[in-house]
Amino acid sequence: MDVLSDLLHRARARNAQIRQLIQRPPWSMTFADAPPLTVVATLGGHASVRLDDDPQAAPVRLAAGDIALIGGINRFTIADAPDTPPQVVVRGGRKHLIDSGTAARQNLAPRTYGDGLPGATTLLRGAYELRGDAGKRLLGLLPQLAVVPTGPRTRAALDLLAAEVAQEEPGQDAVLNRLLDLVLVLALRAWCTRPQAEPPSWYRALATPAVGDALRMLHEDPAHRWTVAELAARVGQSRAAFAAHFTGVVGEPPLTYLTAWRMALAADLLRDTEKTVAAVAREVGYADAFAFSVAFKRARGVSPSGWRRTAVHGT
């Protein structure tokens, strides 16, 4: 499994929320407690996205087929135009009307709302509740707002998602979740490969011969007792050449990268499961719980038990 696939698998909560809006201007919706990552796509018409947490940020226009990835922000507004005042606030998963004169948004089909009249904007929104350190690494790929212009591959994926979102058939949630993942991955690829992109070093390393293979092996089996010599042998390089190559591309030595990834996995296991510290240690590659605790405290500044208390109970 490559690094991006692993992050998506580990960071994603189940049942990402997907909704479609078909609404004539003027319309405006504010999301007051935004999820960690939101995917917004304009299928027809155009829209404007404003980050309300950042008053210095100018609204960004979305043309038909554009995709906006919004992450790490608490409040944002999507509207037909930057100067349309908010009509609806979504908070706690519920819509609250601000203007009593706002046109009613009917339930047009499963997961589809609006008026559905001619001249309407069609908008898709998918919300991801990302988890833990894996989620933070995934969000590290992006600014708070990344706009991916329409392209043949992303448009084809959006058309598939749009065709399915209003359906209600067996297995529909599974289909929609996978199609939303497809849209997200294609958008991430497009964002990270644009000419002026500055993605994290590990993302750039995925396309580098030998280094990308080594990263894939580390993520497929982080508990294995990896050595630099074994990694080098598996990718067909000498130990010294591989170590220098990996460090130069990724920005840190192979085993340093592995330790950081193990600590990220351990932090999420401590928060999300009731496994003992010893069981977590074994799962991330430490036969000795004491050695794991020392490594975890060195990386996080607190013992595994202390991390669990703070992450779970806030104490």
Side-chain angles (χ1 to χ4, degrees), residues 156-194:
L158 286 175
D159 288 344
L160 282 172
L161 182 56
E164 290 289 336
V165 72
Q167 303 299 317
E168 197 64 273
E169 299 178 10
Q172 199 68 27
D173 285 341
V175 170
L176 291 174
N177 285 334
R178 282 158 179 77
L179 286 175
L180 183 60
D181 284 348
L182 175 61
V183 170
L184 174 60
V185 171
L186 292 177
L188 286 171
R189 284 180 182 171
W191 176 260
C192 291
T193 56
R194 71 199 199 287

Tab-separated table of all heavy atoms in Angstrom, residues 156-194:
chain	number	residue	atom	x	y	z
A	156	ALA	N	-14.861	13.417	-15.076
A	156	ALA	CA	-15.475	12.096	-15.250
A	156	ALA	C	-15.872	11.494	-13.908
A	156	ALA	O	-16.947	10.903	-13.771
A	156	ALA	CB	-14.505	11.178	-15.984
A	157	ALA	N	-15.009	11.653	-12.900
A	157	ALA	CA	-15.319	11.129	-11.569
A	157	ALA	C	-16.505	11.871	-10.950
A	157	ALA	O	-17.373	11.260	-10.305
A	157	ALA	CB	-14.094	11.233	-10.668
A	158	LEU	N	-16.558	13.193	-11.140
A	158	LEU	CA	-17.685	13.968	-10.611
A	158	LEU	C	-18.991	13.562	-11.279
A	158	LEU	O	-20.037	13.495	-10.622
A	158	LEU	CB	-17.436	15.464	-10.822
A	158	LEU	CG	-16.403	16.117	-9.920
A	158	LEU	CD1	-16.177	17.561	-10.339
A	158	LEU	CD2	-16.829	16.057	-8.461
A	159	ASP	N	-18.953	13.299	-12.585
A	159	ASP	CA	-20.173	12.878	-13.279
A	159	ASP	C	-20.685	11.550	-12.720
A	159	ASP	O	-21.896	11.360	-12.556
A	159	ASP	CB	-19.890	12.751	-14.778
A	159	ASP	CG	-19.722	14.108	-15.459
A	159	ASP	OD1	-20.112	15.118	-14.859
A	159	ASP	OD2	-19.178	14.137	-16.587
A	160	LEU	N	-19.764	10.636	-12.421
A	160	LEU	CA	-20.171	9.367	-11.816
A	160	LEU	C	-20.802	9.593	-10.446
A	160	LEU	O	-21.845	9.010	-10.115
A	160	LEU	CB	-18.967	8.442	-11.676
A	160	LEU	CG	-18.489	7.710	-12.927
A	160	LEU	CD1	-17.170	6.995	-12.645
A	160	LEU	CD2	-19.542	6.702	-13.386
A	161	LEU	N	-20.158	10.443	-9.638
A	161	LEU	CA	-20.684	10.714	-8.298
A	161	LEU	C	-22.046	11.390	-8.382
A	161	LEU	O	-22.979	11.034	-7.644
A	161	LEU	CB	-19.693	11.587	-7.527
A	161	LEU	CG	-20.054	11.942	-6.082
A	161	LEU	CD1	-20.295	10.688	-5.258
A	161	LEU	CD2	-18.946	12.788	-5.454
A	162	ALA	N	-22.193	12.350	-9.296
A	162	ALA	CA	-23.463	13.053	-9.435
A	162	ALA	C	-24.566	12.105	-9.882
A	162	ALA	O	-25.726	12.235	-9.464
A	162	ALA	CB	-23.318	14.196	-10.430
A	163	ALA	N	-24.224	11.142	-10.731
A	163	ALA	CA	-25.227	10.188	-11.205
A	163	ALA	C	-25.701	9.266	-10.100
A	163	ALA	O	-26.828	8.755	-10.133
A	163	ALA	CB	-24.648	9.366	-12.358
A	164	GLU	N	-24.871	9.040	-9.098
A	164	GLU	CA	-25.208	8.102	-8.027
A	164	GLU	C	-25.800	8.757	-6.791
A	164	GLU	O	-26.520	8.113	-6.032
A	164	GLU	CB	-23.956	7.320	-7.611
A	164	GLU	CG	-23.468	6.319	-8.648
A	164	GLU	CD	-24.400	5.123	-8.776
A	164	GLU	OE1	-25.139	4.822	-7.829
A	164	GLU	OE2	-24.394	4.493	-9.848
A	165	VAL	N	-25.505	10.041	-6.577
A	165	VAL	CA	-25.839	10.637	-5.286
A	165	VAL	C	-27.347	10.685	-5.047
A	165	VAL	O	-27.805	10.608	-3.895
A	165	VAL	CB	-25.214	12.051	-5.170
A	165	VAL	CG1	-25.930	13.058	-6.056
A	165	VAL	CG2	-25.205	12.528	-3.728
A	166	ALA	N	-28.143	10.813	-6.102
A	166	ALA	CA	-29.587	10.902	-5.933
A	166	ALA	C	-30.281	9.546	-6.022
A	166	ALA	O	-31.505	9.473	-5.974
A	166	ALA	CB	-30.181	11.845	-6.982
A	167	GLN	N	-29.497	8.469	-6.136
A	167	GLN	CA	-30.069	7.129	-6.215
A	167	GLN	C	-30.239	6.532	-4.813
A	167	GLN	O	-29.592	6.971	-3.863
A	167	GLN	CB	-29.171	6.211	-7.046
A	167	GLN	CG	-28.913	6.707	-8.457
A	167	GLN	CD	-30.168	6.833	-9.277
A	167	GLN	OE1	-31.033	5.948	-9.242
A	167	GLN	NE2	-30.311	7.939	-9.993
A	168	GLU	N	-31.087	5.556	-4.707
A	168	GLU	CA	-31.263	4.837	-3.450
A	168	GLU	C	-31.413	3.360	-3.782
A	168	GLU	O	-32.517	2.858	-3.996
A	168	GLU	CB	-32.487	5.355	-2.697
A	168	GLU	CG	-32.501	4.956	-1.233
A	168	GLU	CD	-31.347	5.567	-0.450
A	168	GLU	OE1	-30.254	4.946	-0.428
A	168	GLU	OE2	-31.515	6.651	0.117
A	169	GLU	N	-30.293	2.672	-3.875
A	169	GLU	CA	-30.262	1.277	-4.256
A	169	GLU	C	-29.395	0.502	-3.272
A	169	GLU	O	-28.628	1.105	-2.508
A	169	GLU	CB	-29.718	1.119	-5.678
A	169	GLU	CG	-30.554	1.824	-6.739
A	169	GLU	CD	-29.954	1.688	-8.126
A	169	GLU	OE1	-29.008	0.904	-8.295
A	169	GLU	OE2	-30.442	2.381	-9.044
A	170	PRO	N	-29.487	-0.827	-3.257
A	170	PRO	CA	-28.640	-1.601	-2.344
A	170	PRO	C	-27.158	-1.288	-2.558
A	170	PRO	O	-26.683	-1.173	-3.689
A	170	PRO	CB	-28.962	-3.054	-2.736
A	170	PRO	CG	-30.343	-2.995	-3.293
A	170	PRO	CD	-30.435	-1.685	-4.008
A	171	GLY	N	-26.440	-1.128	-1.456
A	171	GLY	CA	-25.012	-0.835	-1.531
A	171	GLY	C	-24.689	0.600	-1.865
A	171	GLY	O	-23.540	0.929	-2.166
A	172	GLN	N	-25.699	1.502	-1.794
A	172	GLN	CA	-25.495	2.881	-2.243
A	172	GLN	C	-24.434	3.606	-1.428
A	172	GLN	O	-23.618	4.348	-1.980
A	172	GLN	CB	-26.808	3.650	-2.176
A	172	GLN	CG	-26.808	4.912	-3.029
A	172	GLN	CD	-26.760	4.591	-4.507
A	172	GLN	OE1	-27.201	3.537	-4.923
A	172	GLN	NE2	-26.191	5.486	-5.289
A	173	ASP	N	-24.425	3.422	-0.117
A	173	ASP	CA	-23.433	4.109	0.710
A	173	ASP	C	-22.023	3.689	0.330
A	173	ASP	O	-21.102	4.520	0.269
A	173	ASP	CB	-23.681	3.826	2.195
A	173	ASP	CG	-24.875	4.592	2.736
A	173	ASP	OD1	-25.280	5.576	2.093
A	173	ASP	OD2	-25.401	4.207	3.788
A	174	ALA	N	-21.823	2.401	0.066
A	174	ALA	CA	-20.503	1.921	-0.325
A	174	ALA	C	-20.070	2.541	-1.648
A	174	ALA	O	-18.915	2.969	-1.812
A	174	ALA	CB	-20.495	0.393	-0.432
A	175	VAL	N	-20.997	2.619	-2.605
A	175	VAL	CA	-20.681	3.222	-3.907
A	175	VAL	C	-20.313	4.685	-3.747
A	175	VAL	O	-19.310	5.168	-4.288
A	175	VAL	CB	-21.886	3.068	-4.869
A	175	VAL	CG1	-21.671	3.892	-6.143
A	175	VAL	CG2	-22.094	1.602	-5.230
A	176	LEU	N	-21.123	5.421	-2.984
A	176	LEU	CA	-20.874	6.853	-2.824
A	176	LEU	C	-19.561	7.126	-2.101
A	176	LEU	O	-18.806	8.032	-2.479
A	176	LEU	CB	-22.036	7.495	-2.059
A	176	LEU	CG	-23.366	7.557	-2.817
A	176	LEU	CD1	-24.472	8.062	-1.913
A	176	LEU	CD2	-23.243	8.435	-4.052
A	177	ASN	N	-19.271	6.357	-1.059
A	177	ASN	CA	-18.016	6.566	-0.335
A	177	ASN	C	-16.817	6.329	-1.228
A	177	ASN	O	-15.831	7.072	-1.180
A	177	ASN	CB	-17.959	5.646	0.888
A	177	ASN	CG	-18.861	6.125	2.006
A	177	ASN	OD1	-19.161	7.309	2.108
A	177	ASN	ND2	-19.319	5.206	2.843
A	178	ARG	N	-16.876	5.297	-2.057
A	178	ARG	CA	-15.744	5.002	-2.928
A	178	ARG	C	-15.602	6.035	-4.040
A	178	ARG	O	-14.495	6.415	-4.415
A	178	ARG	CB	-15.875	3.585	-3.492
A	178	ARG	CG	-15.476	2.542	-2.448
A	178	ARG	CD	-16.059	1.170	-2.722
A	178	ARG	NE	-15.628	0.206	-1.707
A	178	ARG	CZ	-16.128	0.135	-0.485
A	178	ARG	NH1	-17.062	0.989	-0.103
A	178	ARG	NH2	-15.690	-0.761	0.373
A	179	LEU	N	-16.722	6.517	-4.561
A	179	LEU	CA	-16.651	7.551	-5.589
A	179	LEU	C	-16.137	8.863	-5.010
A	179	LEU	O	-15.371	9.580	-5.661
A	179	LEU	CB	-18.026	7.756	-6.226
A	179	LEU	CG	-18.493	6.653	-7.183
A	179	LEU	CD1	-19.918	6.931	-7.654
A	179	LEU	CD2	-17.549	6.534	-8.374
A	180	LEU	N	-16.549	9.191	-3.782
A	180	LEU	CA	-16.024	10.406	-3.148
A	180	LEU	C	-14.531	10.268	-2.897
A	180	LEU	O	-13.767	11.224	-3.093
A	180	LEU	CB	-16.763	10.682	-1.839
A	180	LEU	CG	-16.350	11.967	-1.114
A	180	LEU	CD1	-16.601	13.198	-1.980
A	180	LEU	CD2	-17.098	12.100	0.213
A	181	ASP	N	-14.087	9.079	-2.475
A	181	ASP	CA	-12.650	8.847	-2.326
A	181	ASP	C	-11.918	9.043	-3.650
A	181	ASP	O	-10.819	9.608	-3.694
A	181	ASP	CB	-12.388	7.423	-1.822
A	181	ASP	CG	-12.678	7.262	-0.334
A	181	ASP	OD1	-12.853	8.289	0.348
A	181	ASP	OD2	-12.718	6.117	0.138
A	182	LEU	N	-12.522	8.564	-4.739
A	182	LEU	CA	-11.909	8.723	-6.053
A	182	LEU	C	-11.759	10.200	-6.401
A	182	LEU	O	-10.687	10.640	-6.860
A	182	LEU	CB	-12.756	8.010	-7.108
A	182	LEU	CG	-12.321	8.185	-8.568
A	182	LEU	CD1	-10.921	7.639	-8.788
A	182	LEU	CD2	-13.328	7.519	-9.499
A	183	VAL	N	-12.815	10.983	-6.183
A	183	VAL	CA	-12.753	12.417	-6.446
A	183	VAL	C	-11.666	13.062	-5.601
A	183	VAL	O	-10.870	13.882	-6.092
A	183	VAL	CB	-14.126	13.070	-6.175
A	183	VAL	CG1	-14.017	14.588	-6.194
A	183	VAL	CG2	-15.153	12.601	-7.196
A	184	LEU	N	-11.599	12.701	-4.315
A	184	LEU	CA	-10.603	13.276	-3.428
A	184	LEU	C	-9.188	12.946	-3.883
A	184	LEU	O	-8.318	13.829	-3.950
A	184	LEU	CB	-10.823	12.776	-1.999
A	184	LEU	CG	-9.764	13.191	-0.968
A	184	LEU	CD1	-9.674	14.707	-0.848
A	184	LEU	CD2	-10.049	12.561	0.386
A	185	VAL	N	-8.922	11.682	-4.216
A	185	VAL	CA	-7.571	11.288	-4.619
A	185	VAL	C	-7.173	11.990	-5.913
A	185	VAL	O	-6.043	12.489	-6.043
A	185	VAL	CB	-7.468	9.764	-4.767
A	185	VAL	CG1	-6.145	9.367	-5.403
A	185	VAL	CG2	-7.601	9.096	-3.400
A	186	LEU	N	-8.076	12.049	-6.888
A	186	LEU	CA	-7.755	12.727	-8.141
A	186	LEU	C	-7.494	14.211	-7.912
A	186	LEU	O	-6.591	14.799	-8.522
A	186	LEU	CB	-8.890	12.544	-9.147
A	186	LEU	CG	-9.092	11.125	-9.682
A	186	LEU	CD1	-10.302	11.076	-10.609
A	186	LEU	CD2	-7.850	10.628	-10.404
A	187	ALA	N	-8.269	14.820	-7.012
A	187	ALA	CA	-8.053	16.233	-6.708
A	187	ALA	C	-6.719	16.441	-5.990
A	187	ALA	O	-5.985	17.396	-6.278
A	187	ALA	CB	-9.206	16.771	-5.864
A	188	LEU	N	-6.380	15.564	-5.041
A	188	LEU	CA	-5.097	15.665	-4.351
A	188	LEU	C	-3.938	15.516	-5.330
A	188	LEU	O	-2.953	16.258	-5.267
A	188	LEU	CB	-5.001	14.594	-3.266
A	188	LEU	CG	-5.823	14.817	-2.002
A	188	LEU	CD1	-5.789	13.574	-1.126
A	188	LEU	CD2	-5.316	16.025	-1.227
A	189	ARG	N	-4.048	14.541	-6.241
A	189	ARG	CA	-2.989	14.364	-7.245
A	189	ARG	C	-2.824	15.627	-8.086
A	189	ARG	O	-1.700	16.088	-8.321
A	189	ARG	CB	-3.344	13.205	-8.169
A	189	ARG	CG	-3.155	11.822	-7.590
A	189	ARG	CD	-3.562	10.836	-8.666
A	189	ARG	NE	-3.486	9.453	-8.243
A	189	ARG	CZ	-3.958	8.450	-8.984
A	189	ARG	NH1	-4.533	8.704	-10.143
A	189	ARG	NH2	-3.845	7.214	-8.548
A	190	ALA	N	-3.959	16.159	-8.544
A	190	ALA	CA	-3.892	17.348	-9.395
A	190	ALA	C	-3.285	18.524	-8.649
A	190	ALA	O	-2.494	19.296	-9.209
A	190	ALA	CB	-5.299	17.697	-9.903
A	191	TRP	N	-3.640	18.680	-7.374
A	191	TRP	CA	-3.108	19.797	-6.584
A	191	TRP	C	-1.606	19.645	-6.361
A	191	TRP	O	-0.845	20.600	-6.501
A	191	TRP	CB	-3.838	19.877	-5.251
A	191	TRP	CG	-3.275	20.941	-4.337
A	191	TRP	CD1	-2.422	20.780	-3.303
A	191	TRP	CD2	-3.521	22.347	-4.435
A	191	TRP	NE1	-2.117	21.986	-2.734
A	191	TRP	CE2	-2.774	22.970	-3.402
A	191	TRP	CE3	-4.303	23.134	-5.289
A	191	TRP	CZ2	-2.792	24.351	-3.210
A	191	TRP	CZ3	-4.318	24.512	-5.088
A	191	TRP	CH2	-3.571	25.098	-4.061
A	192	CYS	N	-1.173	18.435	-6.030
A	192	CYS	CA	0.228	18.219	-5.679
A	192	CYS	C	1.152	18.172	-6.888
A	192	CYS	O	2.383	18.279	-6.725
A	192	CYS	CB	0.371	16.926	-4.868
A	192	CYS	SG	-0.345	17.028	-3.212
A	193	THR	N	0.613	17.988	-8.092
A	193	THR	CA	1.457	17.903	-9.280
A	193	THR	C	1.385	19.154	-10.152
A	193	THR	O	1.992	19.185	-11.220
A	193	THR	CB	1.062	16.686	-10.134
A	193	THR	OG1	-0.327	16.747	-10.464
A	193	THR	CG2	1.347	15.386	-9.378
A	194	ARG	N	0.678	20.192	-9.697
A	194	ARG	CA	0.671	21.419	-10.481
A	194	ARG	C	2.071	22.046	-10.429
A	194	ARG	O	2.838	21.794	-9.491
A	194	ARG	CB	-0.401	22.372	-9.970
A	194	ARG	CG	-0.110	22.988	-8.631
A	194	ARG	CD	-1.364	23.548	-7.977
A	194	ARG	NE	-1.013	24.507	-6.948
A	194	ARG	CZ	-0.494	24.183	-5.774
A	194	ARG	NH1	-0.276	22.912	-5.464
A	194	ARG	NH2	-0.202	25.134	-4.900
